[in-house]
Amino acid sequence: MQRRCRYRRAARSEHDLTPLLFPFIHFSTTMTDHPSLDLATFAAQLRFDTIPPDVVERTVNLYVDWLGSALAGKGARPVETIAAFARRAAPGHGVGAGGVAEVLIDRTRTTPYFAAMVNGAASHFAEQDDVHNGSVFHPATVVFPVALALAQARGASGRDFITAAVAGYETGIRVGEFLGRSHYKVFHTTGTAGTVAAAATAGRLLGLSPQQMLDAFGSAGTQASGLWEFLRDAADSKQLHTGMAAANGLMAAELAADGFRGATRILEGAQGMAAGMSSDADPARLVDRLGERWATAETSFKYHASCRHSHPAADALLAVMGRERLGASDIARVTAHVHQAALDVLGAVVVPRTVHQAKFNMGTVLGLVALHGYAGVNEFEGGFDAAPVAAFRDKVEMAYDDEVERAYPARWIGKVTVTTHDGRRYAGRVDEPKGDPGNTLA
Amino acid sequence: MQRRCRYRRAARSEHDLTPLLFPFIHFSTTMTDHPSLDLATFAAQLRFDTIPPDVVERTVNLYVDWLGSALAGKGARPVETIAAFARRAAPGHGVGAGGVAEVLIDRTRTTPYFAAMVNGAASHFAEQDDVHNGSVFHPATVVFPVALALAQARGASGRDFITAAVAGYETGIRVGEFLGRSHYKVFHTTGTAGTVAAAATAGRLLGLSPQQMLDAFGSAGTQASGLWEFLRDAADSKQLHTGMAAANGLMAAELAADGFRGATRILEGAQGMAAGMSSDADPARLVDRLGERWATAETSFKYHASCRHSHPAADALLAVMGRERLGASDIARVTAHVHQAALDVLGAVVVPRTVHQAKFNMGTVLGLVALHGYAGVNEFEGGFDAAPVAAFRDKVEMAYDDEVERAYPARWIGKVTVTTHDGRRYAGRVDEPKGDPGNTLA
């Protein structure tokens, strides 16, 4: 933690021309040896006019993308169950009783806490919300529910909304990168890092001081949770993780505004998040080029409505089928060459029992792609378990691949080997799956 | 997980005389290889008439003891801050709007979710709520808030209340023992195991089936959180941990009643709680003599209003001072011979800054005991930082002791070495600190 970067906490002189000369850089003094504080300070002091215009534009697009995912949660059983719980827990909602924040799936209004909870749950259901590759973290589903709820509650400006969202993205992505790959093997990073991201978003909209933001991180981090175990049962926990990350992060920031103290080193401390939940955490990642590198703009849209770990192989299969003019019926076997995390997350599902579980089954995703050219919401809901899809599913295997593993998570390379019924073998490959910043959606 | 114990899930024949012959034992068939399910089944099927009378009586006493702790949270800043948050998040409380559960610190009523949250926070503030030695887990503060809130909401009988509380104690204690000592080094077991205990309590009052109880465990366990990092900052997280364990556990059970699915092996699964948060977990502990061993009755009352890890040494010091007729002013140095967990938890605090932090400082506890004969709520609040206490504090050191360590956590042995100003050295020892079942409070 001795590295230096441009960084500032004190107020800037009015005669300082730096903002005009370097509008993207507003950190100019030395970093401390306290990365949690550095990150909290960045989140608390982020100003709209220091965010590059392309990052602002990207954030607007990520918001619009998120709205679609949030609306797509309407009618989903786990989402509606959480919404029903929220209605029971805060029965006095409505505008006159603190109901100032909108629940998107039914346009009702409730308190920010429950709006964040329900919208956070809703927007992670379709598995089409955005993803940041390097942190393997889905920012939108924990950031925008909080930003929307508090912006509505406080009548915040669009600029404040965007600034708070960017604070959440920059924070959550760095926390996810910091927690590392050992963390992701067992923990759903969007639940854990997401709680801190939600706190950063809420804290920025509440106008927390750096010290208060650090308190918010403390209260958020000590509540960080989310385990992958649910995957093998087709259980509903994924929506619970994102809903509660949003709600708990919002709560943490509200408590901090009210003087509730949190651990000052919840991320990197000897009994903090990394100590308990990671074996390869790197504190330098928490403060990686704060104010210079805009991780928000590195975030990918999701083209297919499935677990991101299936996308590289899906696109590689599409590429080889297009190039060799193969139909699904020509194919006898597909090997998807994947990184270890894909095996960890997708390996739990063999025969999917629900639409949601099917999104974590490589064979189903490749079957939908081979048969329909796309694995979208309608393709899953219309026939994840249709006979041709199930038949294709059984032709698919995953195999660990060293090249893919070494590139991951900075790059998500897709590699497949396709064998036809008449014995031909083809290799398919994509270096950037569709939706990545270098191969973005139109 | 191949060991067998008497265990039953199927309905019993009306002609079965076993309940008459062995009223305490209602499990009589073979255990499965699925400890989460076995424990969930036990919690779901526990019946009042199978709980031994002395365990019932103990539970009543634990409840009364808990009420005192809950009321002692009144006025405490972290507790009042959480209560204020709850009022904002559910502003429509009051009997007509779902306000059926009582917040003890101000006698207002709100929904069960927030009553559990605030009472859970309140009852862990004075550091005088009960503790189970073997699991290093404080059951009352996460179990009774849920039992009270749902019993009030549903108009449950006293028998149902006690049965639900025992289900929570038996579950939480076994989960704490299962997670082991490696877990406790970083995680506040009362927050983590406590979430599952709260779910068991709520699930029993909601009348969940074994399968639904398993769902509740899944949703609770995937939200389990609580890190010790806050200790070194005198931060407020301890009340947040217990408040949220109670609230999240209650939520998990309510969701399960409504069909929300949880991971079926959240405790022992490959990506479950132990996989993520323990390196010495033992699944056999989860089902240790279910229905035969009543862990509820092993729970200790706390005599001193401080961290339990300080109690054995406090009592040992009192013993040697009484035996040798020493006053505080006679003492030049005290070495407390302790187990590793005491060093882990108490070692973070050198000079306490708040009353609450002082309860985690061995020197302050021994100073209060030496000067006042007792380290109670009034002693801490009246002068944890008074000059004589601070002077005594600086005479105290902790030293790792192998005998104490080996006995822990089944037995909490207290050992001190006292050196007087005139050079005498005395050893003090207690084998069961005051409040343990073998040395219980009058």
Side-chain angles (χ1 to χ4, degrees), chain A residues 77-82 84-85 88-93 97-99 110-114 117 184-187 218-237 239-241 244 247-248 250-251 254-255 258-273 275-277 344-345 348, chain B residues 77-82 84-85 88-93 97-99 110-114 117 184-187 218-237 239-241 244 247-248 250-251 254-255 258-273 275-277 344-345 348:
Chain A
R77 184 186 48 73
V79 176
E80 298 292 347
T81 306
I82 290 173
F85 171 79
R88 286 196 305 275
H93 67 4
T110 181
T111 56
Y113 179 66
F114 287 109
M117 186 187 294
Y184 186 81
K185 282 185 86 74
V186 180
F187 291 93
S219 293
T222 205
Q223 292 189 74
S225 63
L227 294 159
W228 282 123
E229 182 64 25
F230 74 91
L231 271 181
R232 65 197 77 231
D233 297 312
D236 300 324
S237 312
Q239 288 75 55
L240 186 63
H241 295 168
M244 293 311 290
N248 289 334
L250 183 147
M251 180 190 189
E254 289 206 4
L255 291 175
D258 220 5
F260 196 91
R261 307 302 305 267
T264 61
R265 293 178 185 266
I266 196 63
L267 299 164
E268 73 278 29
Q271 289 168 306
M273 282 178 73
M277 303 190 278
D344 294 340
V345 173
Chain B
R77 184 185 49 74
V79 176
E80 298 292 347
T81 305
I82 290 173
F85 170 79
R88 286 196 305 275
H93 66 5
T110 182
T111 56
Y113 179 66
F114 286 109
M117 187 188 293
Y184 187 81
K185 283 185 84 75
V186 179
F187 291 93
S219 292
T222 205
Q223 292 189 74
S225 63
L227 295 160
W228 282 123
E229 182 63 26
F230 75 91
L231 271 181
R232 64 197 78 230
D233 297 312
D236 300 324
S237 311
Q239 288 77 55
L240 185 63
H241 295 168
M244 293 311 291
N248 289 334
L250 183 148
M251 180 189 188
E254 288 205 4
L255 290 175
D258 219 6
F260 196 91
R261 305 303 305 267
T264 60
R265 293 178 186 267
I266 197 63
L267 298 164
E268 72 279 28
Q271 290 167 306
M273 281 179 73
M277 303 190 279
D344 294 340
V345 172

Side-chain angles (χ1 to χ4, degrees), chain A residues 236-317:
Chain A
D236 300 324
S237 312
K238 210 159 191 267
Q239 288 75 55
L240 186 63
H241 295 168
T242 53
M244 293 311 290
N248 289 334
L250 183 147
M251 180 190 189
E254 289 206 4
L255 291 175
D258 220 5
F260 196 91
R261 307 302 305 267
T264 61
R265 293 178 185 266
I266 196 63
L267 299 164
E268 73 278 29
Q271 289 168 306
M273 282 178 73
M277 303 190 278
S278 173
S279 58
D280 64 340
D282 176 5
R285 306 303 299 267
L286 288 171
V287 292
D288 179 36
R289 292 165 288 157
L290 282 171
E292 297 169 32
R293 168 199 172 202
W294 294 94
T296 307
E298 299 162 5
T299 305
S300 302
F301 297 106
K302 282 176 76 175
Y303 179 59
H304 305 289
S306 62
C307 176
R308 184 66 172 175
H309 293 297
S310 68
H311 291 206
D315 288 353
L317 177 62

Side-chain angles (χ1 to χ4, degrees), chain B residues 124-139:
Chain B
H124 204 46
F125 185 79
E127 289 291 327
Q128 202 138 16
D129 53 301
D130 64 24
V131 61
H132 181 270
N133 285 347
S135 54
V136 202
F137 165 61
H138 300 280

Side-chain angles (χ1 to χ4, degrees), chain B residues 18-51:
Chain B
T18 310
L20 295 174
L21 299 174
F22 305 101
F24 303 168
I25 301 172
H26 62 122
F27 298 93
S28 59
T29 55
T30 319
M31 282 217 320
T32 68
D33 63 350
H34 189 164
S36 281
L37 177 60
D38 294 333
L39 187 59
T41 301
F42 171 81
Q45 296 189 334
L46 183 63
R47 298 202 323 267
F48 182 81
D49 59 8
T50 59
I51 305 171

